[in-house]
Amino acid sequence: MKDHIEPLSKCALLEAIRDEAANMARAELAGETGDAQDAALVYDEAAARLLAHVATAEECGLMDELAGFLTATYGG
């Protein structure tokens, strides 16, 4: 693990990942029902932020922790 991130920061990082994924889903739906060009821009911006959050989570070991938790909880 390159950096130590406090548990509260890890929670905030997971929430940010969830929020950006939700933003992408809303933009996709808006594109189907409204202005496709604006929706595509919102989608692209949310996707870029999502990738940055996932990269940060990967860098600090959070994704490995999450995978371990899921494996321990649900088997695998």
Side-chain angles (χ1 to χ4, degrees):
M1 182 158 71
K2 290 183 181 180
D3 297 317
H4 175 73
I5 295 185
E6 297 300 321
L8 188 58
S9 296
K10 289 180 181 181
C11 289
L13 187 54
L14 285 174
E15 287 175 356
I17 290 170
R18 180 203 61 206
D19 291 346
E20 293 306 339
N23 288 340
M24 289 173 65
R26 281 192 293 273
E28 190 171 325
L29 181 61
E32 294 172 4
T33 60
D35 186 358
Q37 191 172 15
D38 284 345
L41 179 61
V42 170
Y43 183 92
D44 289 346
E45 290 173 354
R49 289 189 301 267
L50 176 66
L51 288 175
H53 294 319
V54 169
T56 300
E58 185 69 39
E59 216 173 80
C60 74
L62 180 59
M63 298 306 272
D64 291 334
E65 288 181 36
L66 182 58
F69 169 77
L70 292 173
T71 300
T73 303
Y74 300 105

